[in-house]
Every structure is written in structure tokens, then in C-alpha cells.
């Protein structure tokens, strides 16, 4: 199903850059938008210190003692660098993306990577993004006719798309936005922020698969497709179907996307623990780094059979210890041991696929495996063996899987195939409700009763959901609920501050915040200046012989998804006209 992309209708040339900062490898794609021309998607395929062209570079940085980046990407892997690192005391930073993960995504008990004492994850991300930007600039100037003139024509009009795992939310997007400002790519203003868009790796991968024509047949049958982006750090699962009665390239999520920390780096970590235990107390323990690196770069991807041993070359011909399986400088690994390194990741992916299929709102028979980890022959064979008896066909694109996210992110910017998404959690506010004597839940909380200014009894601690989990949300749809504040004087009503609350638990219809309380969190506080409205409020009275005077102000909380960021606003009516606060991006402050 080939895409029929429209021509670019903007008034002037623009450049769109997409950064896929992966846990282990990173890439860049871009598109030059010329008026009245159909945009094309290209990838950067040449980076400093690469011997041959490649669309990805290692996500690695070496810092010197002053915190200055000294080697990044392929430059950090060049021959002879090890001696310089030791002599100069450089510090290697890798897998730093995992430090951005939300607090509720914890699946592996092994320790996360550490950073230099004077560096935050935002600092490191900024250094790496800055490097990617310079690589993109150099490549575009060198690869295009009159490249310098082309770059000058777009350098003030560059839009950015940053891909991130399905489980990353507003807090992680905010950190990435902060990093791109720190890198000097955009100003830290509203205008600068508007030049950055985010897309989940799952949605970017869908766009790649659609562009490649891979999803044509199942979608024609009205079935859903499941995209499994198996990367270095995360496994991202996203299920989509074509919208009923829509045009060819309009899709909707049919199950809430999921994210698991079981990417390929965790296979390598389990292997390293095995090597450390095996070689403990031997003279070969000092070779752990070399052995682990060889496994990561060779044995892990080529491992095919539990019956075939793997050999890791790390020393010279005289290195020998048969009790450890070492002969002629090679460590022998049983295939069963290598399979054990993979097993938690394989099991996680299979279970996650079954869960997505179970929750999907239409049948799924096709699974597309993309991402760097998809290149593993063992992973692919184990998944296919487990899924085929379930009637699931597993497909692994034979080309471009390592460019799927970066190129898909550009397609997301240009094509916007996904029109409807599913809310992953329930969002709302904490409020009070009128006390109802006949309600058992109310009676159980009667100790908290209080009499409001209106003279009525109310209960606090109620969660009023504005947008519920699993609800379909279009890009332009709004969800709103009405609320009211009361006060003895109008001065108290000059300003509204409302906390937006998220519920992440398993209750189908959460109502009381003292139930499953640890699963509630405050995403942000939305504020509104209502001083003019408060001055126009008429006094109200409650009570009998000695009535109490009070004021009541009504307002709405409005939630919208936009593209991929959830936003909140306060709306109210003033002199018959609706007023709104600027849209505030919602993100969880928990890390």
C-alpha cells in the first residue's frame, strides 16, 4: 500500500530533522520541504570515523575530567582510543537513555548506568543531540548540490521530531525538549518549543511499515496489525487498525500501547553477570570488558541454535583454562547458556504480544518485528515458534529495520497516519461530592464530612475522571467537566489553581483516592487569572434566620491530546464570552 503524499504547500523551504536517540544506537532522517514539491524522506548514512556508510552510530560519549565531550558515536569506538581513555582518565557514558525512564517502568533488577558527577541525563542528552545535529548539517551540505547554500536557506527554519519509547510520557518529553534547548538547536521560548514534535517509537514504526507497503494485506481484510519495536533498551508494542469508512491511510490505535524494559542491552547484561561469575578468582576476570563487548557485537546477533556452542575470542593462543572453557584465547559458551541470556526478553515479548492481542478491539493476525534487536536470529526464531501456533504471522522487514524509527518519525511529521489514539490512563481532578446517606461508599467515609458554605454536607477525596482509560481520542477532540468554587469573599476567587491527577492502577472506574492510593499522582497544576470574573459575581445566601453570604464561581477543566502530548486548560465565561488559559502540557513529576 504505497503512500500518496501531497505536495508541500508552505510558502518557503523548510527542513525537518528526526532524531532517533536509541539506548545503544542512534540515527537521523530528514526531509527538505520545497513549495509545490512532494517531500522525500532521506537518512544520514555517513558519520565521522565510520569506515563504511551506516545509518546508525553507537549512543556513546567519552567525557574528559572537565566534563567536555571528547569522543562521540563511531569516534568513541575507533582503534587506539582505549589507551587514550586510560591515559587521560576519560569517562565512558552509554545507555544513558534508560535514566529517563518513568518510575513505573522497572522490569530488570540490575543497576542502571551512572553518569559523571557533574552531568545530568539532560546534559548528556543535549551533548549527544548537539553532535547529531552537526552530523546532519555536515551530511546535508556534502550530499546535496550547492549544499552550503541549501543549508543557509533552511537553518533558521528547522523543525525537529524526537522519537521516544511508548512508555515515555510528558515528563520525559519535557526533559528532551529541555535538552534540545540546552544543545542550542532552538530558543527556550514558546516559538522555539513549537518547532519540536514528539512521536512514540511504536507510532513511528507504523509509519515506516505503511511506507514500505508491509501492512497492506491485513489492513485490506479489516484486521489489525501489531508493531513490535525491539530496541536496545525497550520493547515497544503498538496495535493499529484502519478506521472504518476512512481513507486508505488513516489509522487508529486498537489497544493501548505498551513498553517493557527488556531490550537487547539486558541480554548483554545477563551475559556479563554470567562471565563475572564464571571467571571470578581467575586471571581472566580483567578481560570481562573485551569478552562482553565481543558477545554484544557478534555472538548475540548470530546465535541461532541451542545445540551450537559460541566461541568468544578475547586473548592470545597461550590463554588456556579448560575448566573455564578457555582454549587458545577463546571462551566456549554452551548454546543453552546463551539461550538463558535471552529467555527473560523472549518471554516478556511473547506475553506482551498475547496481551495486546487479547485487548485489541479487532482481530490481529500479523505482527511486524522492527528495531535493532529484531536482527537477532534467535529472537526471531523463538517468537515465530511461539506465535505461529496462535495463528499469528511474524514478519521482519528485510531492509531498513535500523532506520524504521527515524524514517517513520519523518513520515509522522509529513503524513500523520494515526488519527485516533487510546488513553493509557485515567485523568481528572480531586474534588468534593454531595454526601448521600444511602450510599455505602459515602457512609464508609462519613468521618470526613464537612458542611460547605452552601449549608450542604460534602465529602472530600473524590476522583472525578475527565478522560478515562481506554477511551478513543482524536487529535482535535476535547474532554471537559464543570466545577465550582465557593468562598466568603471574592478575593479568594481571583485565581484558580487546579491539579490534574492521573490514575495508573487497574480499577475499572476509580472514584475514591483512598483506594489504590499509591496509583494516583499529580501531573501538573493549571492556573487561571479570574480576577475580572470574581468581581462580577453576585452574592448568594445559605441558611435560615442568620444566612451566610458566599460567592460561587463556575469553570471547566478541558483536556485534549493534540498530536502526542496531553494538554490541560481552564475555561470560564466572562461577560458571556468563553475565556481560556493557555494550553498547559501535562506530565507526571514523578521520576
Amino acid at each position: 500500500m504505497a503512500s500518496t503524499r501531497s505536495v508541500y504547500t508552505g510558502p518557503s523551504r523548510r527542513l525537518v530533522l528526526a532524531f532517533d536517540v536509541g539506548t545503544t544506537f542512534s540515527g537521523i532522517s530528514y526531509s527538505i520541504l520545497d513549495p509545490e514539491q512532494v517531500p522525500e524522506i532521506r537518512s544520514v548514512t555517513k558519520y565521522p570515523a565510520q569506515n563504511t556508510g551506516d545509518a546508525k552510530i553507537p549512543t556513546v560519549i567519552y567525557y574528559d575530567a572537565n566534563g567536555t565531550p571528547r569522543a562521540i558515536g563511531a569516534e568513541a569506538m575507533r582503534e587506539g582510543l582505549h589507551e587514550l581513555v586510560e591515559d587521560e582518565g576519560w569517562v565512558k557514558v552509554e545507555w544513558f537513555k534508560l535514566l529517563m525512564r518513568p518510575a513505573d517502568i522497572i522490569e530488570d533488577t540490575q543497576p542502571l548506568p551512572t553518569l559523571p558527577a557533574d552531568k545530568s541525563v539532560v546534559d548528556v542528552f543535549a551533548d549527544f543531540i548537539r553532535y547529531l545535529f552537526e552530523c546532519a548539517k555536515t551530511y546535508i551540505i556534502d550530499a546535496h548540490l550547492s549544499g552550503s547554500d541549501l543549508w543557509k536557506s533552511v537553518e533558521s527554519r528547522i523543525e525537529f521530531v524526537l522519537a521516544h519509547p511508548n512508555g515515555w510520557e510528558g515528563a520525559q518529553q519535557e526533559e528532551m525538549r529541555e535538552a534540545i534547548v540546552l544543545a542550542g538547536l532552538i530558543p527556550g521560548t514558546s516559538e522555539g518549543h513549537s518547532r519540536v514534535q514528539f512521536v512514540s517509537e511504536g507510532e513511528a514504526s507504523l509509519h515506516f511499515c505503511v511506507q514500505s507497503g508491509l501492512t497492506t494485506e491485513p489492513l485490506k481484510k479489516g484486521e489489525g496489525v501489531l508493531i513490535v519495536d525491539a530496541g536496545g533498551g525497550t520493547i515497544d508494542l503498538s496495535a493499529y487498525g484502519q478506521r472504518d469508512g476512512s481513507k486508505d491511510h488513516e489509522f487508529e490505535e486498537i489497544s493501548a500501547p505498551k513498553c517493557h524494559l527488556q531490550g537487547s542491552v539486558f541480554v548483554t547484561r545477563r551475559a556479563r553477570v554470567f562471565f563475572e561469575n564464571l571467571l571470578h578468582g581467575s586471571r581472566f576476570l580483567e578481560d570481562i570488558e573485551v569478552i562482553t563487548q565481543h558477545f554484544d557485537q557478534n555472538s548475540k546477533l548470530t546465535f541461532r541454535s541451542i545445540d551450537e556452542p559460541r566461541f568468544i575470542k578475547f586473548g592470545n593462543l597461550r590463554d588456556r583454562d579448560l575448566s573455564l572453557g578457555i582454549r587458545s584465547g577463546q571462551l566456549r559458551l554452551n548454546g543453552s547458556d546463551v539461550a538463558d541470556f535471552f529467555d527473560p526478553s523472549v518471554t516478556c515479548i511473547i506475553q506482551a504480544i498475547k496481551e495486546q492481542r487479547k485487548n485489541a478491539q479487532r482481530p490481529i493476525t500479523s505482527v511486524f518485528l522492527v528495531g535493532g534487536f529484531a536482527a537477532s536470529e534467535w529472537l526471531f526464531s523463538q517468537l515465530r515458534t511461539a506465535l505461529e501456533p496462535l495463528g499469528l504471522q511474524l514478519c521482519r522487514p528485510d531492509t531498513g529495520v535500523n532506520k524504521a524509527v527515524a524514517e517513520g518519525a519523518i513520515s509522522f511529521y509529513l503524513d500523520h497516519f494515526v488519527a485516533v489514539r487510546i488513553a493509557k490512563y485515567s485523568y481528572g481532578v480531586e474534588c468534593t461530592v454531595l454526601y448521600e446517606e444511602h450510599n455505602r461508599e459515602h457512609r464508609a467515609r462519613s468521618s470526613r464530612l464537612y458542611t460547605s458554605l452552601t449549608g450542604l454536607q460534602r465529602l472530600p477525596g473524590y476522583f472525578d475522571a475527565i478522560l478515562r482509560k481506554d477511551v478513543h481520542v482524536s487529535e482535535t477532540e476535547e474532554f471537559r467537566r464543570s466545577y465550582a468554587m465557593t468562598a466568603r469573599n471574592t478575593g479568594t476567587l481571583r485565581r484558580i489553581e487546579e491539579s490534574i491527577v492521573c490514575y495508573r492502577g487497574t480499577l475499572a472506574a476509580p472514584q475514591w483516592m483512598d483506594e489504590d492510593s499509591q496509583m494516583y499522582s499529580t501531573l501538573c497544576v493549571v492556573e487561571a487569572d479570574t480576577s475580572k470574573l470574581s468581581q462580577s459575581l453576585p452574592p448568594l445566601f445559605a441558611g435560615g434566620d442568620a444566612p451566610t453570604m458566599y460567592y460561587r464561581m463556575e469553570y471547566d477543566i478541558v483536556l485534549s491530546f493534540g498530536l502526542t502530548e496531553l494538554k490541560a486548560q481552564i475555561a470560564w465565561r466572562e461577560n458571556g464570552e468563553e475565556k481560556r488559559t493557555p494550553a498547559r502540557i501535562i506530565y507526571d513529576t514523578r521520576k
Side-chain angles (χ1 to χ4, degrees):
M1 184 164 66
S3 171
T4 53
R5 183 172 298 131
S6 302
V7 299
Y8 172 60
T9 58
S12 58
R13 172 183 283 172
R14 286 183 178 273
L15 171 66
V16 185
L17 285 177
F19 295 138
D20 170 25
V21 180
T23 303
T24 53
F25 288 92
S26 298
I28 312 166
S29 291
Y30 66 96
S31 183
I32 298 167
L33 310 183
D34 281 311
E36 302 307 318
Q37 300 294 316
V38 177
E40 296 182 2
I41 299 174
R42 304 172 184 266
S43 289
V44 174
T45 56
K46 185 175 178 57
Y47 295 87
Q50 278 185 337
N51 294 325
T52 57
D54 196 343
K56 290 255 182 165
I57 57 171
T59 311
V60 177
I61 304 179
Y62 276 105
Y63 287 98
D64 64 18
N66 297 319
T68 302
R70 300 304 299 270
I72 303 178
E75 297 177 81
M77 312 301 287
R78 68 179 185 268
E79 292 184 9
L81 187 68
H82 183 70
E83 290 77 10
L84 186 60
V85 169
E86 285 191 347
D87 294 342
E88 300 292 333
W90 292 359
V91 176
K92 183 180 183 181
V93 176
E94 59 183 347
W95 302 356
F96 57 85
K97 179 180 176 180
L98 297 178
L99 297 173
M100 273 191 176
R101 82 205 187 289
D104 58 342
I105 301 182
I106 301 175
E107 298 184 37
D108 198 285
T109 57
Q110 298 184 56
L112 290 169
T114 57
L115 302 178
D118 60 340
K119 293 285 183 179
S120 69
V121 67
V122 172
D123 295 330
V124 175
F125 205 92
D127 289 336
F128 197 80
I129 284 283
R130 187 184 300 112
Y131 179 79
L132 290 180
F133 179 77
E134 291 301 323
C135 290
K137 176 180 178 180
T138 300
Y139 181 86
I140 291 171
I141 290 174
D142 292 346
H144 291 265
L145 188 66
S146 303
S148 294
D149 292 336
L150 186 155
W151 183 263
K152 289 178 183 177
S153 71
V154 298
E155 61 182 343
S156 63
R157 294 187 298 275
I158 302 177
E159 307 276 331
F160 298 93
V161 185
L162 273 65
H164 59 74
N166 288 359
W168 269 218
E169 300 172 21
Q172 290 70 45
Q173 292 175 342
E174 185 69 14
E175 286 184 319
M176 294 169 75
R177 185 183 287 107
E178 183 182 345
I180 204 169
V181 171
L182 188 61
L185 275 56
I186 60 169
T189 62
S190 297
E191 185 278 331
H193 290 177
S194 68
R195 289 165 51 195
V196 181
Q197 293 186 24
F198 298 98
V199 61
S200 70
E201 291 170 7
E203 188 166 324
S205 296
L206 170 75
H207 280 76
F208 172 81
C209 289
V210 172
Q211 289 295 320
S212 303
L214 299 173
T215 58
T216 303
E217 290 307 315
L219 291 172
K220 278 183 178 178
K221 300 175 184 176
E223 299 172 349
V225 296
L226 180 60
I227 310 294
V228 180
D229 180 13
T234 60
I235 307 295
D236 296 293
L237 298 98
S238 310
Y240 299 95
Q242 191 161 315
R243 295 190 70 191
D244 294 335
S246 69
K247 55 186 180 181
D248 284 347
H249 296 97
E250 192 168 296
F251 301 92
E252 62 182 359
E253 288 182 347
I254 58 174
S255 182
K258 295 294 181 182
C259 176
H260 299 274
L261 276 184
Q262 282 293 356
S264 64
V265 299
F266 297 101
V267 177
T268 302
R269 281 189 169 182
R270 288 187 282 270
R272 183 185 178 104
V273 171
F274 176 89
F275 299 145
E276 289 173 344
N277 292 335
L278 175 68
L279 303 177
H280 181 73
S282 76
R283 65 186 179 90
F284 300 109
L285 188 61
E286 64 184 24
D287 296 308
I288 283 291
E289 288 294 337
V290 176
I291 293 171
T292 303
Q293 184 176 354
H294 187 284
F295 172 84
D296 185 66
Q297 297 177 356
N298 298 282
S299 304
K300 183 172 70 173
L301 291 180
T302 58
F303 174 61
R304 293 172 179 268
S305 171
I306 200 169
D307 299 320
E308 295 179 4
R310 309 303 299 170
F311 295 91
I312 298 178
K313 183 173 177 56
F314 68 93
N316 56 51
L317 294 176
R318 278 177 280 208
D319 289 326
R320 179 184 180 91
D321 188 331
L322 297 182
S323 67
L324 299 175
I326 296 173
R327 176 182 294 174
S328 301
Q330 292 189 109
L331 172 64
R332 183 184 190 276
L333 278 177
N334 292 328
S336 58
D337 291 326
V338 180
D340 287 342
F341 306 155
F342 278 86
D343 187 61
S345 295
V346 172
T347 301
C348 171
I349 296 172
I350 293 172
Q351 186 57 41
I353 290 173
K354 291 179 179 178
E355 193 70 21
Q356 283 281 300
R357 190 188 197 192
K358 174 184 174 183
N359 294 333
Q361 296 166 355
R362 67 178 70 183
I364 292 177
T365 57
S366 301
V367 179
F368 295 91
L369 183 66
V370 299
F373 197 9
S376 164
E377 296 299 330
W378 180 253
L379 175 66
F380 182 71
S381 67
Q382 292 301 290
L383 293 181
R384 183 168 56 186
T385 299
L387 298 179
E388 284 186 351
L390 303 176
L392 288 169
Q393 181 180 0
L394 182 65
C395 173
R396 179 176 57 177
D398 57 359
T399 59
V401 290
N402 64 338
K403 299 187 294 182
V405 170
E407 290 194 356
I410 293 291
S411 177
F412 160 80
Y413 180 94
L414 297 173
D415 305 315
H416 281 304
F417 291 148
V418 180
V420 178
R421 299 174 180 85
I422 292 179
K424 292 194 294 183
Y425 307 110
S426 291
Y427 305 90
V429 297
E430 181 180 6
C431 63
T432 67
V433 292
L434 284 172
Y435 180 69
E436 298 173 355
E437 178 65 32
H438 64 275
N439 188 313
R440 184 175 59 185
E441 295 291 337
H442 286 210
R443 291 198 305 272
R445 296 169 175 82
S446 59
S447 61
R448 305 180 197 168
L449 270 177
Y450 75 95
T451 302
S452 68
L453 291 176
T454 63
L456 300 174
Q457 290 185 311
R458 302 189 71 87
L459 274 176
Y462 185 80
F463 175 67
D464 190 49
I466 302 172
L467 172 59
R468 288 197 178 276
K469 178 181 177 180
D470 293 332
V471 169
H472 284 75
V473 184
S474 71
E475 293 180 358
T476 58
E477 191 172 4
E478 291 185 342
F479 296 81
R480 63 195 294 165
R481 294 274 288 174
S482 298
Y483 303 95
M485 291 176 59
T486 57
R488 294 183 183 277
N489 58 75
T490 58
T492 309
L493 302 177
R494 293 174 61 86
R495 189 168 193 81
I496 300 174
E497 292 187 2
E498 194 71 71
S499 296
I500 306 299
V501 177
C502 171
Y503 173 73
R504 300 167 181 272
T506 58
L507 295 176
Q511 291 184 321
W512 298 99
M513 295 186 64
D514 58 1
E515 292 182 352
D516 207 11
S517 59
Q518 72 277 9
M519 300 309 296
Y520 290 93
S521 62
T522 297
L523 298 183
C524 71
V525 177
V526 190
E527 302 176 352
D529 180 356
T530 52
S531 54
K532 289 185 179 179
L533 175 61
S534 64
Q535 293 172 8
S536 64
L537 295 173
L540 301 173
F541 297 89
D545 297 334
T548 300
M549 186 177 74
Y550 67 97
Y551 296 87
R552 174 185 168 91
M553 184 168 67
E554 299 177 350
Y555 60 94
D556 288 359
I557 301 293
V558 184
L559 300 183
S560 60
F561 247 120
L563 293 177
T564 58
E565 295 178 295
L566 186 61
K567 299 179 180 180
Q569 293 176 284
I570 294 177
W572 67 96
R573 299 200 71 79
E574 192 174 293
N575 297 324
E577 179 183 352
E578 180 170 281
K579 302 287 187 180
R580 289 196 181 198
T581 61
R584 171 78 183 273
I585 295 172
I586 298 176
Y587 61 89
D588 197 337
T589 55
R590 298 183 310 170
K591 287 295 292 173

